[in-house]
Amino acid sequence: MTVSLPSSIQRVLVTGGAGFIGWAVVRRLLAETSVQVFNLDKCGYASDLTGIEQFGEAAVQRHQLLQVDLSDAEATAAAVRQADPDLVMHLAAESHVDRSIDGPGVFVSSNVLGTFNLLQAARAHFEQLPADRAQAFRFHHISTDEVFGSLGEQGRFSETTPYDPRSPYSASKAASDHLVSAWHHTYGLPVVLTNCSNNFGPWQFPEKLIPVVIFKAVAGEPIPLYGDGGNVRDWLYVEDHVDALLLAATQGQPGRSYCVGGYGERTNKQVVEAICTLLDQRLPQGAPHSRLITPVTDRPGHDRRYAIDPGRIEQELGWTPRHPFEQGLAATVDWYLDHLGWCQAMRQRSGWTGERQGLSAGQGRHSQ
Ligand code: NAD
């Protein structure tokens, strides 16, 4: 899908634009539009802007990195004043569930306090805009399906599903969603929310399931499979998510939320096995890579199943996912095989060396 932004949007503030999904949004804005992009990011362990040069000098000139931590209210307000945005796309968040189990504090400061600070800054900005710019202004909050809790065998999440977050990560995202809705109802801030399922694709920090499996398999190391491998996620290729985000940000109705999912339900075991099969074809000397699959203790409080009904965004905004799961997965595996050096560099820079995270809740003391 080629991006077509209304002419009222000239300046876009993307938070978290040095992370996996935010960087995909920024790349699309640089490649397919002529807007000014202000990329607010604290530049944490998962951040990277490798490859920005490929968009050419003119595009790079349209991109400005604002290295700011959203938990700093004054710096956030100053960044919003500097960006003077027509559109805010708020993706910055601590995003890894396992890390949230070991260290929930930074999830509250980044995702809850950070969103509060950004909302306050956006509100001050919105209230001083001239009428025509205020009319067109949008604050788009990007969230997750994890706020809805865990499904049984049947059913799918939709915009009317009650919130029931279970992990420190999903609780912090749920809190931020509620703040965003409140700023709409109380202060009239024109917000749009999206709740998306699990994304995958290039440039994802190699601690999440799909890159971890690729990296471990290529290295000939045990591939960890949590619990019985039966937990289900609804996988969406990141570029399809970007399509949905740009549609919702520009055509979504203020105050409305949209669920985004790829009809890509797979168990973790199916995902891991599919990656092993793709690697067997590409690296036959290591086949069968499935011999490396090693069941490990489950994640504390591991939600069993997520699935999204994307009917609203399909019907109201005309979105549809373009990449079937198998196609997106093959492209992702190929990308990581071409970028193993990038994975290694990211791991070294972050200080994370591939060890298991998220076990500090203590075994046997959680309810599921
Ligand atoms: P990511 O961890 O790859 O990137 C997040 C970025 O936000 C990082 O660059 C980080 O430095 C930045 N950030 C974190 N805290 C910050 C702070 N206090 N101030 C400024 N910058 C900060 O995450 P991602 O996978 O790209 O996710 C982006 C957004 O999309 C998140 O809000 C996440 O909840 C949501 N989301 C992710 C998925 C998924 O599968 N990855 C699915 C649905 C929704």
Side-chain angles (χ1 to χ4, degrees), residues 16 18-22 40-47 68-71 90-95 109-111 142-145 169 173 196-199 204 208 241:
F20 167 48
I21 303 172
L40 185 161
D41 200 298
K42 72 178 178 184
C43 297
Y45 75 94
S47 310
V68 167
D69 189 323
L70 289 173
S71 61
H90 177 35
L91 295 104
E94 292 295 335
S95 68
S109 65
S110 280
N111 303 0
I142 286 84
S143 192
T144 166
D145 60 354
Y169 164 66
K173 290 298 293 187
C196 186
S197 58
N198 277 43
N199 282 215
Q204 187 171 31
K208 303 274 173 79
H241 190 194

Side-chain angles (χ1 to χ4, degrees), residues 110-131:
S110 280
N111 303 0
V112 186
L113 178 62
T115 299
F116 164 73
N117 288 337
L118 185 66
L119 283 166
Q120 286 290 74
R123 182 183 151 213
H125 167 68
F126 171 65
E127 286 173 355
Q128 55 80 51
L129 284 174

Side-chain angles (χ1 to χ4, degrees), residues 192-237:
V192 174
L193 278 85
T194 47
N195 294 86
C196 186
S197 58
N198 277 43
N199 282 215
F200 69 102
W203 302 109
Q204 187 171 31
F205 183 77
E207 68 180 348
K208 303 274 173 79
L209 178 68
I210 288 178
V212 161
V213 172
I214 299 169
F215 204 77
K216 297 267 183 196
V218 170
E221 294 174 9
I223 301 168
L225 184 66
Y226 287 6
D228 66 0
N231 299 68
V232 175
R233 299 293 180 263
D234 182 353
W235 293 93
L236 181 69
Y237 193 59

